[in-house]
């Protein structure tokens, strides 16, 4: 005799029709965490849900194209645009929201390095939270180690920066997030970060100024206390 499937044997019957974004949001709220544009939410995304989010964003993007009165059915240039934009956001430019921090191996400071070290310029790519327009620029990182500082490979700074910048950002908040992350991973005596970037929301739209750049910095520890160290770092950054 063939058994009929009962509701309890069907896959998550209660989940049917609940968008995956709603499930993720409920978990974040239950944990009383924030999910602003530049927050990482990887801890709340379960295996397989990123693919489901891709499908969900694609459907919503198709709605945007429909509302923009673009004939995606006849226009072969835009027939796959909804899917492409969904992938662009989730897998590329905003990936730093959905995946966990890159694995970084920290080594003890065996050589007792205690000289100013500068990493950069690292090219950084982000997007502004206001318009989702590109923000592209450079970052310099100054590290003042002490005997307790963890040493990380030079390329690891670039990976940490990529993870923080891969979210809709506000430049002032992005550099603070990056500084917090590097402080946590390496415990230096001092840390200095300078970021210089072009905000395409100023070039492509708005005032349409192609040359304006924004520069900002964060100083921590010995860079805050020691003006000579701060001057040394700023003098060593190439001016162009
Ligand atoms: Zn903007």
């Amino acid at each position: 005799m063939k058994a009929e499937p009962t509701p309890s044997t069907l896959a998550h019957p209660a989940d049917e029709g609940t968008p995956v974004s709603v499930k993720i949001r409920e978990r974040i709220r239950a944990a009383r965490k924030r999910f602003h544009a530049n927050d990482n939410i990887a801890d709340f995304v379960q295996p397989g849900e990123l693919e489901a989010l891709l499908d969900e964003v694609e459907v919503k993007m198709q709605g945007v194209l429909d509302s923009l009165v673009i004939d995606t059915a006849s226009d072969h240039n835009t027939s796959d645009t909804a899917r492409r934009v969904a992938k662009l956001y989730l897998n590329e430019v905003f990936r730093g929201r959905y995946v966990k921090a890159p694995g970084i191996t920290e080594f003890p400071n065996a050589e007792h390095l205690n000289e100013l070290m500068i990493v950069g310029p690292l090219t950084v790519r982000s997007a502004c939270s206001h318009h989702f327009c590109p923000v592209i620029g450079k970052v310099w990182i100054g590290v003042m180690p002490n005997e307790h500082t963890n040493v990380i490979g030079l390329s690891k700074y670039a990976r940490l920066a990529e993870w923080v910048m891969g979210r809709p950002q506000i430049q002032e908040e992005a550099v603070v997030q990056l500084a917090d992350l590097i402080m946590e991973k390496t415990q230096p005596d001092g840390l200095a970060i300078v970021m210089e970037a072009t905000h395409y929301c100023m070039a492509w739209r708005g005032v349409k100024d192609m040359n304006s750049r924004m520069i900002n910095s964060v100083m921590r520890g010995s860079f805050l206390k020691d003006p000579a160290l701060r001057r040394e770092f700023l003098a060593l950054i190439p001016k162009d």
Side-chain angles (χ1 to χ4, degrees):
M1 199 174 90
K2 231 171 84 186
E4 290 293 316
T6 58
S8 62
T9 64
L10 295 170
H12 311 295
D15 277 1
E16 285 301 312
T18 305
V20 67
S21 65
V22 172
K23 294 182 207 167
I24 296 169
R25 213 156 37 224
E26 279 169 1
R27 284 177 214 135
I28 300 172
R29 286 214 172 99
R32 298 177 187 279
K33 296 283 187 194
R34 219 177 70 158
F35 54 103
H36 289 187
N38 61 4
D39 288 326
N40 178 276
I41 59 163
D43 286 345
F44 304 97
V45 180
Q46 291 177 357
E49 286 186 339
L50 216 44
E51 291 70 30
L53 262 185
L54 203 59
D55 295 338
E56 185 183 327
V57 174
E58 178 187 350
V59 170
K60 297 284 169 74
M61 264 318 299
Q62 184 58 49
V64 172
L65 289 161
D66 293 343
S67 295
L68 289 170
V69 199
I70 293 172
D71 181 2
T72 57
S74 315
D75 174 7
H76 63 92
N77 292 322
T78 54
S79 61
D80 225 5
T81 293
R83 184 78 183 168
R84 277 189 218 104
V85 174
K87 282 183 173 170
L88 169 81
Y89 286 161
L90 287 161
N91 295 347
E92 298 177 274
V93 297
F94 300 153
R95 186 174 168 78
R97 293 196 79 229
Y98 304 99
V99 299
K100 291 189 196 294
I104 301 284
T105 315
E106 300 125 37
F107 306 98
N109 185 2
E111 305 296 323
H112 299 286
L113 307 167
N114 62 353
E115 298 286 338
L116 169 62
M117 184 183 84
I118 297 180
V119 186
L122 305 175
T123 300
V124 288
R125 297 169 192 84
S126 192
C128 76
S129 295
H130 302 137
H131 306 94
F132 283 9
C133 282
V135 174
I136 296 179
K138 296 178 235 175
V139 160
W140 287 266
I141 301 167
V143 180
M144 192 66 202
N146 64 27
E147 69 268 34
H148 308 295
T149 299
N150 293 319
V151 181
I152 63 172
L154 289 187
S155 64
K156 302 299 189 282
Y157 289 98
R159 297 198 57 208
L160 293 174
E162 188 182 26
W163 185 61
V164 166
M165 299 299 164
R167 308 168 194 172
Q169 278 287 8
I170 300 298
Q171 188 171 329
E172 302 92 310
E173 295 178 5
V175 289
V176 169
Q177 283 190 339
L178 184 59
D180 289 344
L181 183 64
I182 295 172
M183 286 300 287
E184 179 205 318
K185 297 269 179 205
T186 67
Q187 313 280 325
D189 213 46
L191 176 72
I193 297 181
V194 169
M195 178 169 170
E196 178 188 300
T198 300
H199 289 244
Y200 283 82
C201 57
M202 302 257 299
W204 186 29
R205 56 160 295 284
V207 293
K208 299 191 176 72
D209 180 347
M210 297 303 291
N211 295 311
S212 76
R213 285 179 292 183
M214 177 171 171
I215 302 177
N216 62 357
S217 65
V218 212
M219 303 281 161
R220 298 278 170 86
S222 49
F223 285 93
L224 267 184
K225 292 177 223 135
D226 182 353
L229 178 63
R230 200 158 58 229
R231 270 199 304 277
E232 186 188 353
F233 168 69
L234 294 172
L236 286 169
I237 291 178
K239 306 277 177 295
D240 54 16

